Every structure is written in structure tokens, then in C-alpha cells.
Amino acid sequence: MTLLLMKRDKSPAGKSIHLLRQGVDTTYKKGLGTHARSTVIYDLSNRDYDYFESYIGIDQEMKNNTSSSARFEVSVDGKQVYGSNTFYSTTSSGFVNVSLKGAKELKLVTTDAGINGNAADHTVWADAKFVKR
């Protein structure tokens, strides 16, 4: 089994985070870089957030790689509250906004979309943040 590490404020390759947003390559200073088939769990006990927000997609360092494919899932307290369609390197970013009111755990999951394994599946949670309104 290969251990792939999460990168904070970097793409999975350790570079700046780039997503295709409304057809434009957009750079983000903050976020999480993961490789498909990843799970990131946040313990929200003793926290009081209203929302989790993030742009999601395949990092544009893979823009010329037709093997890139992934799906994103978000669960709150064990219940899936968001599931994306399949993203490819040519897919514009999506946006996730989920309620965390009263939540104890947030789980961010990327899958390889079941297409061709996890080849070139450089996924990012760009501008990921907890929001208190």
C-alpha cells in the first residue's frame, strides 16, 4: 500500500494550487492537496462553525493528462451531505458549502471515480475554510 500525504496550501505535487474556474486557470494561496482515494477528517468537538466552504477539482498541473478523474464527497457526523459528479482535468471547479451547525466531525473524501484507478488524480480543496457567520 502506498501512503500519499496531504499537502497544506500546496497541490499534491507540492506546487501552487491551480483550478480551472469558469474556463480560467485560477491560483489559490490556501487549500488542501490530496491524491484521489484520500480521506481527511476534522474533529469539530468544542468548535462552533456554521459552514465549510471549498472550491474542488483536479489541480491544473494535470491539465494535459487525460487519465485524471475523481469524485468528491463530504460527510458531516457520518452522513454524506455532498457528492460530486466526476471531475476530469478539463472540468471547471465546483464549489462546496455545507452546514456544520452542531457538527462534531467533518470528513472530506476523494475517490478515483472508479474509472482507471488513481493515475494522475491530483485533487484539491482550494480556498478550503471553516466559516462562522
Side-chain angles (χ1 to χ4, degrees):
M1 179 170 109
T2 303
L3 177 62
L4 301 169
L5 299 176
M6 175 190 76
K7 306 277 188 194
R8 183 176 175 198
D9 301 333
K10 299 285 183 191
S11 72
K15 300 177 183 175
S16 296
I17 294 172
H18 289 263
L19 283 178
L20 190 61
R21 185 169 168 196
Q22 298 177 339
V24 177
D25 185 335
T26 305
T27 303
Y28 296 86
K29 291 182 181 181
K30 296 287 188 182
L32 304 174
T34 60
H35 202 284
R37 287 198 225 154
S38 69
T39 302
V40 177
I41 299 172
Y42 287 96
D43 179 358
L44 301 177
S45 301
N46 303 315
R47 305 284 182 182
D48 187 26
Y49 298 117
D50 292 325
Y51 299 95
F52 168 78
E53 298 179 343
S54 181
Y55 292 95
I56 56 172
I58 302 289
D59 193 272
Q60 286 300 282
E61 66 197 4
M62 295 288 111
K63 67 182 171 187
N64 295 319
N65 195 317
T66 58
S67 296
S68 299
S69 60
R71 290 190 185 132
F72 294 76
E73 300 171 1
V74 179
S75 295
V76 176
D77 292 337
K79 180 181 177 190
Q80 185 175 324
V81 295
Y82 176 85
S84 75
N85 292 325
T86 301
F87 281 79
Y88 301 93
S89 62
T90 56
T91 305
S92 280
S93 62
F95 186 73
V96 174
N97 179 302
V98 298
S99 175
L100 295 177
K101 294 177 183 172
K104 302 295 179 208
E105 180 184 88
L106 173 69
K107 185 184 292 186
L108 308 177
V109 176
T110 61
T111 73
D112 64 9
I115 295 173
N116 59 1
N118 66 351
D121 297 344
H122 289 204
T123 57
V124 291
W125 302 83
D127 198 26
K129 60 187 161 210
F130 294 102
V131 178
K132 178 71 179 154
R133 292 196 172 127

